[in-house]
Amino acid sequence: MNEISLHILDIAGNSIDAGATSVRIDITESRLLNQLKVRISDNGCGMNPVVQKQAEDPFFTTRTTRNVGMGIPLLKYHVELCGGNFAIFSEEAKGTTVEAVFMLNHLDRQPVGSLSGITRILLMNEKGVEFILAYSTDKGSYEFDSKSIKEYLSIKSLNDHPLLTALSEMIKNNLCEIGAEAT
Ligand SMILES: Nc1ncnc2c1ncn2[C@@H]1O[C@H](COP(=O)(O)OP(=O)(O)OP(=O)(O)O)[C@@H](O)[C@H]1O
Ligand SMILES: [Mg+2]
């Protein structure tokens, strides 16, 4: 995984697996604070403290298809490699928040990458999970909310190729306008 957006895709995938109906991705990119803060929050099944502790261990997974889970340990490893902080806040039956705070100018920090691209993939999920992408920079902020867009367009699903292309272009343009590193 060579982009932070791909870590986000994996963590949001965990949220979908955890039965979330809504997943919120918050990113704050601040040159003033020299910080890139990424938070993925869901209203899924949550984790008890034991599972939460084990989730940071690469050899723990509730998967039945293979016996290692790498999503969380990989993100944690990468954040700590660049002098940042990693934390999980979770409550059973309530939900989970995964937070990674990177030093923005650290030479080993991976590029943020394509958030419009991963949002496109996330919107293709067949479970109808809603996504919010909120990005802020020192210059401004932008929020994409799948539920509001569906209501605005009076449609039940955004999973349509021409629409997904238009939405990912829209996200890209809005991120560009606030001077975001992400595309
Ligand atoms: N948002 C979440 N809600 C509830 N449980 C979670 C959540 N995220 C992770 N977990 C638990 O932590 C475990 C480890 O997650 P991790 O992403 O590291 O590996 P994985 O999803 O099992 O496998 P991989 O990411 O390699 O495909 C999961 O198997 C699951 O039990
Ligand atoms: Mg995972």
Side-chain angles (χ1 to χ4, degrees):
M1 269 198 262
N2 52 9
E3 288 186 349
I4 292 172
S5 59
L6 299 178
H7 290 281
I8 297 173
L9 182 59
D10 186 276
I11 300 296
N14 289 346
S15 299
I16 296 176
D17 293 342
T21 57
S22 174
V23 180
R24 184 179 172 101
I25 300 166
D26 282 283
I27 299 176
T28 312
E29 176 194 333
S30 172
R31 280 160 209 259
L32 296 173
L33 301 173
N34 189 26
Q35 203 180 68
L36 177 75
K37 189 167 168 179
V38 177
R39 271 177 151 246
I40 301 102
S41 316
D42 69 55
N43 63 351
C45 67
M47 288 177 262
N48 65 42
V50 176
V51 172
Q52 188 182 319
K53 186 95 199 92
Q54 289 169 329
E56 295 179 27
D57 173 350
F59 297 105
F60 173 78
T61 179
T62 54
R63 268 184 189 289
T64 47
T65 45
R66 59 194 151 86
N67 58 4
V68 285
M70 287 306 287
I72 290 175
L74 266 180
L75 174 59
K76 185 172 183 242
Y77 169 77
H78 190 67
V79 183
E80 291 174 352
L81 190 68
C82 18
N85 283 302
F86 177 85
I88 300 175
F89 309 94
S90 190
E91 206 178 322
E92 266 185 300
K94 287 249 169 82
T96 301
T97 295
V98 173
E99 184 181 270
V101 185
F102 296 86
M103 205 188 285
L104 187 67
N105 72 353
H106 198 289
L107 288 177
D108 292 325
R109 179 180 65 78
Q110 293 171 326
V112 184
S114 175
L115 288 180
S116 55
I118 63 144
T119 305
R120 183 189 180 121
I121 295 170
L122 289 170
L123 293 175
M124 287 167 71
N125 84 84
E126 294 297 340
K127 293 181 181 166
V129 180
E130 302 293 357
F131 291 94
I132 294 171
L133 171 69
Y135 201 107
S136 75
T137 64
D138 298 327
K139 201 172 153 192
S141 58
Y142 170 64
E143 187 167 305
F144 171 89
D145 177 347
S146 65
K147 193 161 178 239
S148 312
I149 300 223
K150 282 186 210 163
E151 281 165 10
Y152 180 73
L153 297 173
S154 305
I155 50 176
K156 287 216 166 72
S157 167
L158 301 179
N159 191 2
D160 161 84
H161 278 288
L163 179 58
L164 288 171
T165 301
L167 291 174
S168 69
E169 276 303 303
M170 177 185 83
I171 294 171
K172 215 190 276 183
N173 291 337
N174 281 285
L175 291 173
C176 181
E177 241 165 68
I178 57 168
E181 177 189 309
T183 56

